Amino acid sequence: MMRKICPVCDLPLNEINYCSRCRRVVKKPVNWEVNYTLNEKKDLASLPVSHLPVNQPVPRDSMLGKGKSNVLLFLVIGIALIFTLAGIVISCAVNATSLENSYETAVGYDDYGFRDLDEAEVLAAGEHCSGFDHFETDGREISNSMTQFLEKEEYGYRIGSQETYGDNYEMNQDGGALTFYETVDSVYLVPKITEDVNSEEEEYEYVDINYDTATGELHRYVSYLKNPEATLAYLEQFLLYTEAGCGIAAEQSSVASIMEQAQARLNQSEGAYILEGIFDVNLYIYEDRIQVYVSYNNPETVKNQET
């Protein structure tokens, strides 16, 4: 069967594309074909007993020589074995179903107490959401700066289209409510050398800036691109804009270290998890795309995890 998988942590998503580990709804999940070996035994359970793989051989001369009592004995033993094995097969099938149902429950295939929130309701609250950590800078300004940088077309892409959408909702978790006030500015990029290619394929490369609907505080950066040079250039520019917006002094900058690590991992065609300064950077390499997620590295959260 097909499962929707979070591209960040590789855990299955629920029916609304919510990832319980990343605490967010995934815009573009990865679809994986998942096969459960135990389920294949369900086919045996549906077969008539006479078709089960059981065969108790009885020598013909032995039966003739020992009379009806031996025949009956062999028949009883054979039937007992058939029903015993049938019970085992059915038990396996039931256990497989139980395991699958438990798995779905464990990874959150329920409604999570999901409730959509109107933008007016979010703005009236006037406070940032509780589901994201927030950079201490205005995500709208970062978004504008990134768009201007992308408009220069220095790394083989031009802007194909842009959109802004909101996704404001509330989830019940561990007895309390988590709020997610997401506004996302998406810039879809088109490789300039392939402008005649089908437009649907062209626009499957993008840069997203995610910020709080209520306060504008920056949540995260996401890019999904083919071009490694552009991937690194856009990442570096975002990191520089964000450090400047957060008032990070040049001597405290983490950008150089992050870029050195990201470049090294890309050279080896490997993904990366980089935790430096105020940044939590995840880099994933797929067959023909490179995906980057950057969120806020909360020093207090890291400190609590270490203790």
Side-chain angles (χ1 to χ4, degrees), residues 10 12 23 29 32 48 53 57 61 68 76 89 122 128 130 150 165 200 203 206 214 232 245-246 254 265 280 300:
D10 292 337
R23 300 191 305 174
W32 281 359
D61 57 348
K68 292 182 179 179
V76 169
V89 170
V122 170
H128 66 216
S130 59
L150 296 174
Y165 60 90
E200 183 177 343
E203 294 202 350
Y206 60 87
L232 292 175
C246 293
S254 302
R265 298 309 288 267
D280 184 332
E300 291 301 318

Side-chain angles (χ1 to χ4, degrees), residues 6-294:
C6 175
V8 177
C9 66
D10 292 337
L11 286 183
L13 307 174
N14 69 1
E15 64 275 6
I16 60 171
N17 289 359
Y18 177 72
C19 177
S20 57
R21 174 173 291 181
C22 298
R23 300 191 305 174
R24 69 185 189 90
V25 170
V26 177
K27 178 184 174 185
K28 291 184 173 66
V30 176
N31 291 315
W32 281 359
E33 179 72 27
V34 179
N35 295 312
Y36 294 98
T37 303
L38 286 175
N39 286 352
E40 296 174 2
K41 296 183 180 178
K42 293 181 181 178
D43 294 333
L44 293 177
S46 64
L47 291 175
V49 171
S50 61
H51 287 74
L52 291 173
V54 177
N55 183 21
Q56 180 66 30
V58 181
R60 185 172 178 272
D61 57 348
S62 175
M63 289 180 60
L64 292 173
K66 294 186 183 274
K68 292 182 179 179
S69 60
N70 286 343
V71 172
L72 290 175
L73 177 61
F74 280 117
L75 285 175
V76 169
I77 293 174
I79 291 171
L81 285 173
I82 288 173
F83 278 102
T84 300
L85 290 176
I88 292 172
V89 170
I90 293 171
S91 176
C92 287
V94 171
N95 289 336
T97 301
S98 176
L99 284 172
E100 183 176 348
N101 291 338
S102 298
Y103 176 75
E104 291 187 350
T105 301
V107 298
Y109 278 77
D110 57 36
D111 61 8
Y112 278 93
F114 179 86
R115 183 171 74 93
D116 272 319
L117 301 174
D118 292 332
E119 185 173 337
E121 183 180 358
V122 170
L123 292 173
E127 297 181 353
H128 66 216
C129 64
S130 59
F132 281 102
D133 285 325
H134 298 73
F135 288 95
E136 295 179 0
T137 187
D138 193 318
R140 295 162 295 195
E141 294 182 3
I142 301 296
S143 178
N144 289 335
S145 297
M146 282 300 300
T147 300
Q148 292 174 21
F149 182 75
L150 296 174
E151 285 173 345
K152 296 178 181 179
E153 301 184 5
E154 294 181 347
Y155 296 94
Y157 289 100
R158 65 173 178 84
I159 294 178
S161 63
Q162 296 175 252
E163 69 170 329
T164 297
Y165 60 90
D167 196 9
N168 305 300
Y169 52 96
E170 181 181 90
M171 313 288 289
N172 287 327
Q173 185 170 336
D174 298 330
L178 282 176
T179 53
F180 297 83
Y181 306 153
E182 297 185 66
T183 297
V184 181
D185 291 341
S186 285
V187 179
Y188 296 95
L189 299 168
V190 179
K192 292 192 290 185
I193 61 173
T194 58
E195 292 186 1
D196 294 331
V197 177
N198 181 280
S199 61
E200 183 177 343
E201 174 134 353
E202 290 175 351
E203 294 202 350
Y204 203 53
E205 298 186 73
Y206 60 87
V207 170
D208 283 356
I209 303 294
N210 183 317
Y211 52 86
D212 196 285
T213 303
T215 65
E217 293 169 281
L218 178 64
H219 284 155
R220 70 172 71 229
Y221 164 91
V222 182
S223 70
Y224 189 65
L225 304 165
K226 283 185 177 181
N227 188 320
E229 182 186 10
T231 294
L232 292 175
Y234 297 165
L235 170 62
E236 182 174 28
Q237 203 61 40
F238 168 78
L239 298 177
L240 290 171
Y241 286 147
T242 302
E243 280 196 342
C246 293
I248 304 295
E251 59 271 16
Q252 297 176 320
S253 174
S254 302
V255 177
S257 176
I258 292 172
M259 296 311 302
E260 181 179 353
Q261 294 177 65
Q263 179 71 73
R265 298 309 288 267
L266 276 183
N267 290 344
Q268 299 171 24
S269 298
E270 295 180 352
Y273 174 64
I274 304 168
L275 203 62
E276 291 278 351
I278 60 172
F279 299 111
D280 184 332
V281 181
N282 289 269
L283 188 151
Y284 301 89
I285 298 179
Y286 301 108
E287 184 175 348
D288 64 346
R289 296 288 195 279
I290 302 167
Q291 191 160 37
V292 177
Y293 284 82
V294 184

